[in-house]
């Protein structure tokens, strides 16, 4: 049994067979063969072995002629491994006797060999292990060839273990078959993490290298509550986690009973509790859990899940589905936040050195006005069907806000000329997610109907820490005092200007932090649908004066660490059932 620690991004526990996806996106499923297919499959294995041997020999000759025999010998060593009788017999035995597919037999055997080298713990032996992984990759390339399947086409439940999953790949995961996932890289606030929460799939990222320790079909546990994975768990551990799964079910059933009740604090203050969504189908769970509207609809996922650029009609269909389902509750549609880690099927700009500081979000929309107008037309058309509010992301300067509003006004004029109905009084807001927006907030507030604080980016840009990088994950601190001061300044200005403000970053969905927000004066929170019951429970368990006292204490502290510890202690005293397992 091996237990490994990463970063928890989506809670819950998944227990199941591993589906390993290596660097090149190969899936190595554990597939069994029909008895009468064994001969053909052995033949396929031999052909792949032969093809790989020919490739290696070609490389050997070419390198030897260019650089000399000494370099050619590297490939000769590969050839020796590939032709090793014992190794060949082991692979063939798994196919012949256990009826494993050749892909699985190859991967299992070669990974076992590589692991022996890795355990010797020397640079020289680590290189030999890499040689073996290389041979595995080459064989899989020939064996899987065109049969490389998409993750979206799974047919049995698995736990996905991958080097990385991009947000667009995560968006295509089917929660029916993907019980959970873990990745070697990635940060806690990445969009992959946010999608995992949206899909309610237990997930852990930023594990560091671990794929070499696991083979497809091994039993694994993803513990999304503690950011842990357990490879080849023993019976006792499996039993303990099965019990935890049951506990999760009981607690969430108890919390679901709150769906019909208001998010009202002990002293009678009403909190507006809305949901963040990425996909239209999520509205069902928002309604079921009693969300008071959609506080953030991340529309860029329409692009990330699609193979073709969405048309105006595609946008319109998605927005009308959401607004109709929400029956009179408001739906805040955020215009495209593409770029950085969220790219569609084709890049919309040049490759960038600093994508999070580059052509992302509103900047990208303003540089691709046709794309922007297409979306705005669809949003406006859908606004005739229900209560839509429109929000621009990542606004940093007044010029950007004015340009975005000017494109919106043009599109409104076009629709009016064409006689197409839309809500002419549509509320227009902006996200506050860069420090520049906070510094200028009094001016911005004169030109918008509402603001929503996006702490995921605000933290990243305030502390200069990439939200998507596991190596600086410990520096990404949501409750750093500097971030709290920026939130506080925004709230004070918004109260003075009498402009509605909500908080839609992930901070809102963490009970200990949400308690702090209530103390700061926040009265509208937007959280992933799965967290609505917990946050409602929090609101119903605390009083605003108590939260204010907690906030006063927290603001005297100077580090995120102190504040975090303090808030968790306070939460444990007030609502212990909301403290993570
Ligand atoms: C944020 O930055 O806090 C936010 C809500 O937007 P996103 O996570 O989509 O960048
Ligand atoms: Mg953001």
């Amino acid at each position: 049994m091996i237990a490994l620690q990463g970063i928890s991004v989506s809670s819950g526990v998944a227990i199941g067979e591993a589906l390993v996806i290596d660097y090149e996106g190969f899936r190595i499923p554990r597939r069994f063969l029909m008895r009468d297919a064994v001969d053909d499959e052995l033949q396929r294995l031999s052909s792949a072995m032969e093809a790989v041997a020919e490739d290696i020999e070609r490389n050997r000759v070419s390198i030897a002629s260019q650089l000399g025999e000494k370099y050619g010998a590297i490939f000769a060593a590969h050839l020796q491994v590939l032709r090793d009788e014992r190794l060949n017999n082991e692979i063939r035995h798994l196919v012949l006797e256990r009826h494993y597919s050749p892909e699985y037999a190859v991967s299992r055997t070669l990974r076992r060999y590589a692991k022996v080298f890795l355990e010797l713990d020397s640079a020289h032996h680590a290189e030999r292990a890499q040689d073996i992984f290389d041979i595995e990759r080459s064989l899989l390339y020939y064996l899987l060839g065109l049969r490389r399947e998409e993750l979206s086409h799974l047919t049995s439940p698995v736990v996905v273990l991958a080097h990385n999953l991009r947000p667009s790949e995560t968006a295509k995961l089917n929660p029916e078959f993907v019980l959970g996932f873990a990745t070697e890289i990635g940060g806690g606030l990445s969009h992959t993490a946010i999608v995992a929460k949206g899909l309610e799939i237990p997930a852990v990222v930023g594990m560091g290298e671990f794929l070499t320790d696991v083979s497809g079909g091994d039993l694994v546990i993803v513990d999304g509550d503690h950011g842990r994975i357990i490879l080849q768990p023993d019976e006792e551990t499996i039993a303990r986690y099965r019990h935890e799964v049951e506990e999760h079910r009981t607690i969430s059933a108890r919390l679901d009973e709150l769906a019909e009740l208001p998010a009202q604090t002990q002293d009678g203050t009403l909190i507006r509790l809305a949901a963040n969504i990425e996909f239209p189908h999520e509205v069902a769970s928002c309604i079921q859990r009693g969300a008071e509207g959609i506080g953030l609809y991340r529309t860029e996922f329409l692009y990330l899940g699609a193979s073709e650029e969405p048309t105006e009609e595609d946008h319109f269909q998605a927005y009308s589905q959401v607004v109709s389902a929400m029956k009179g509750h408001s739906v805040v549609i955020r215009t495209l936040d593409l770029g950085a880690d969220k790219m569609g099927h084709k890049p919309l700009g040049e490759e960038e050195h600093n994508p999070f500081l580059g052509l992302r979000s509103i900047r990208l929309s303003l540089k691709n006005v046709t794309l922007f107008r297409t979306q705005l037309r669809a949003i406006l058309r859908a606004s005739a069907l229900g209560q839509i509010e429109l929000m621009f992301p990542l606004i940093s300067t007044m010029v950007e806000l004015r340009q975005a509003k000017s494109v919106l006004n043009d599109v409104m004029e076009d629709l009016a000329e064409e006689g197409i109905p839309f809500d002419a009084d549509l509320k227009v807001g902006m996200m506050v997610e860069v420090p520049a927006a906070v510094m200028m907030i009094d001016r911005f507030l004169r030109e918008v109907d509402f603001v929503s604080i996006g702490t995921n980016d605000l933290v990243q840009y305030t502390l200069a820490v990439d939200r998507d990088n596991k190596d600086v994950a410990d520096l990404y601190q949501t409750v750093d005092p500097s971030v709290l001061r920026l939130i506080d300044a925004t709230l004070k200005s918004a109260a003075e200007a009498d402009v509605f403000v909500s908080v839609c970053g992930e901070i809102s969905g963490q009970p200990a932090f949400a308690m702090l927000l209530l103390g700061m004066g926040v009265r509208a929170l937007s959280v992933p649908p799965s967290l609505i019951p917990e946050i409602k429970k929090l609101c119903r368990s605390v009083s605003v004066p108590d939260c204010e006292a907690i906030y006063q204490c927290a603001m005297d502290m100077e580090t995120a660490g102190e504040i975090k510890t303090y808030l968790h202690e306070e939460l444990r005293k007030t609502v212990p059932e909301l403290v993570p397992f």
Side-chain angles (χ1 to χ4, degrees), residues 371-419:
L371 167 127
F372 194 30
R373 288 175 60 94
T374 301
Q375 176 176 38
L376 292 176
R377 277 180 70 93
I379 297 175
L380 285 168
R381 283 172 57 202
S383 72
L385 307 174
Q387 207 200 323
I388 283 182
E389 298 177 21
L390 187 144
M391 176 160 72
F392 299 120
L394 208 80
I395 295 287
S396 318
T397 65
M398 298 295 289
V399 174
E400 257 167 10
L401 176 66
R402 288 175 187 154
Q403 280 176 346
K405 285 178 72 173
S406 149
V407 180
L408 177 67
N409 285 337
D410 281 352
V411 176
M412 281 182 166
E413 276 171 24
D414 288 353
L415 289 184
E417 264 171 37
E418 293 167 46

Side-chain angles (χ1 to χ4, degrees), residues 189-191 194 276 278 296 298 300-301 334 337 341-342 356 360 391 393-394 431-433 452-461 467 476 503-507:
L189 269 291
S190 66
H191 288 96
I194 286 169
N276 295 344
E278 287 77 48
L296 169 66
R298 294 183 164 101
E300 55 279 5
F301 283 89
R334 180 176 76 179
D337 189 22
D341 61 335
K342 292 184 286 191
F356 276 111
R360 126 164 231 222
M391 176 160 72
L394 208 80
M431 292 204 59
V432 175
E433 41 189 354
S452 190
I453 305 178
T455 47
N456 306 342
D457 277 313
L458 190 59
V459 173
Q460 150 166 275
Y461 294 123
R467 62 194 268 189
Y476 185 100
V503 180
C504 66
E506 301 297 294
I507 190 175

Side-chain angles (χ1 to χ4, degrees), residues 8 146 152 183 240 246 295 316 384 440 473 513 524 531 564 567:
S8 159
L146 294 174
S152 50
T183 60
R240 184 158 54 79
E246 277 314 308
F316 176 70
M440 293 293 289
F513 299 170
L531 297 174
K564 238 163 55 177
L567 292 175

Side-chain angles (χ1 to χ4, degrees), residues 9 21-26 148-152 160-174 178 181-187 189-197 199 201 203-206 278-279 300-301 303-306 338-347 355-356 468:
V9 293
I21 300 176
D22 79 2
Y23 294 79
E24 284 159 29
F26 286 127
R148 280 162 68 163
E149 291 157 79
E150 286 263 338
L151 261 181
S152 50
V160 173
L161 304 179
H163 175 63
N164 185 25
L165 284 176
R166 288 189 296 272
S168 54
E169 292 168 313
T170 315
K172 289 188 216 152
L173 297 180
N174 179 350
V178 179
F181 73 78
T183 60
E184 291 188 326
I185 65 170
L189 269 291
S190 66
H191 288 96
T192 291
I194 286 169
V195 176
K197 243 183 237 158
L199 295 174
I201 297 176
V204 182
V205 301
E278 287 77 48
F279 310 100
E300 55 279 5
F301 283 89
Y303 279 73
L304 299 177
L338 281 169
D341 61 335
K342 292 184 286 191
M343 284 318 305
H345 61 287
K346 73 173 179 342
F356 276 111
D468 208 359

Side-chain angles (χ1 to χ4, degrees), residues 13 15 221-223 226 228 230 233 236-246:
V13 170
I15 307 175
I221 297 175
V222 172
D223 173 354
H226 301 99
R228 221 172 274 151
I230 293 112
E236 194 193 322
T237 309
I238 297 172
R240 184 158 54 79
Y241 272 106
R242 287 211 196 284
H243 177 70
E244 207 160 284
V245 171
E246 277 314 308

